[in-house]
Every structure is written in C-alpha cells, then in structure tokens.
Amino acid sequence: MVRTEDMHPDMAKNLLSLPLPEIEPQPWITPKPLAESTVAIVTTAGLHAHDDRTFNPGSVEYRLIPGDIDFDDLRMSHMSVNFDRSGFQQDINTVFPLERLRELAEQGVIGGISRYHYSFMGAQPEPTRLEKTGEEIGRLLAEDGVTAAFLTPV
C-alpha cells in the first residue's frame, strides 16, 4: 500500500479531502469461535475468472469466486501506479489466501470455508457507493452460512 507522502501531491490532496462517513456505535456481537466458523474471503483486488468481465476503475460491482476455483483461472483487473503487483503474480495467497484457509480448516483452526468468495474493485474514490452492494453481499454470505469474513484490502 502506498503512503500519501509517496503519492503525487495532487492525488494525495484529493484523497485526504474526501469526507469520512459517520458511523454510529453498534451493539457488540459475540462471534462464534473460529473453530466453529465458516469463513469467506472478501477482497478488493479486482479478481475475476479469466472468462468473466474485467473490472472498470471505480466499479461498484462484485465478482463471485467459487471456492474450488483453479488459481490459474484468476485474473486481476485492479491496476494502479501506486502498488506493485509482483506479489500477486508470485503468490496469489497475498491477495486471495484460499490455500491458507484450506490449511486452517484441515488443522481445525476454522470450522470450514465458504463455497463462494467475493471480489470488488479497489481504489474506490467514493466508498459510500458500495453500500448497496455491501448489503447484498452480507445477505449472500449469511444465506451461505458464513459467520466470518477475511478481508483482503488491496
């Protein structure tokens, strides 16, 4: 992740001028123990299957990624001069740690892995535009029995 001091001054100024949404306090919910939890990955790496539509910059859509996807079938639409993609190219687990979740499930650290995972486009200039989509993903995760999400922001 790039630091604002490493950005072009105009880009950093624009980013720092964006309003922060006010989030009201919410009641605390005690989660299930991890060993009983079904975990899904939600990433902003702009990942998609090779035959799926690529993401456009600022897109608020998501792509469904099956839990049994072959990593050779994944592509990354998210491009930016502000980050180095070589980590993704060397080990996809840096942005989509499905193999690590499989290992944790085999070890009994987590109860299971979701059948589906979700990918968004990162670098959102106005994250509030994702609210409706985020609510939809929340419903889909709940319907799939997911009780924990592993977020990988890119």
Side-chain angles (χ1 to χ4, degrees):
M1 177 62 75
V2 70
R3 296 172 187 261
T4 54
E5 58 263 20
D6 296 331
M7 292 179 168
H8 184 278
D10 291 339
M11 184 181 280
K13 181 180 178 183
N14 181 52
L15 181 65
L16 294 171
S17 71
L18 294 174
L20 293 175
E22 293 205 18
I23 300 173
E24 298 293 323
Q26 300 294 315
W28 179 256
I29 298 172
T30 302
K32 280 184 164 186
L34 280 177
E36 299 173 17
S37 295
T38 299
V39 182
I41 299 170
V42 178
T43 184
T44 59
L47 296 177
H48 55 87
H50 82 280
D51 59 350
D52 206 348
R53 293 183 329 274
T54 60
F55 283 98
N56 292 321
S59 170
V60 295
E61 301 170 338
Y62 65 89
R63 302 291 181 271
L64 186 69
I65 300 179
D68 61 354
I69 194 163
D70 182 340
F71 281 175
D72 290 336
D73 190 35
L74 282 175
R75 304 293 182 268
M76 181 188 276
S77 294
H78 190 12
M79 294 185 189
S80 173
V81 297
N82 295 317
F83 73 89
D84 178 359
R85 291 169 40 112
S86 62
F88 160 76
Q89 294 164 337
Q90 294 171 22
D91 183 2
I92 194 166
N93 286 285
T94 60
V95 296
F96 191 69
L98 187 56
E99 288 179 328
R100 302 297 82 84
L101 287 182
R102 290 174 181 155
E103 292 167 0
L104 292 172
E106 287 174 16
Q107 297 167 8
V109 175
I110 62 174
I113 304 169
S114 177
R115 295 178 302 149
Y116 302 103
H117 307 278
Y118 299 88
S119 177
F120 290 86
M121 184 63 172
Q124 291 291 330
E126 196 176 328
T128 55
R129 292 179 52 224
L130 289 165
E131 190 170 336
K132 183 178 176 183
T133 309
E135 289 173 359
E136 180 180 339
I137 296 301
R139 282 190 301 278
L140 292 170
L141 290 167
E143 288 172 10
D144 205 27
V146 172
T147 52
F150 191 82
L151 307 177
T152 59
V154 175

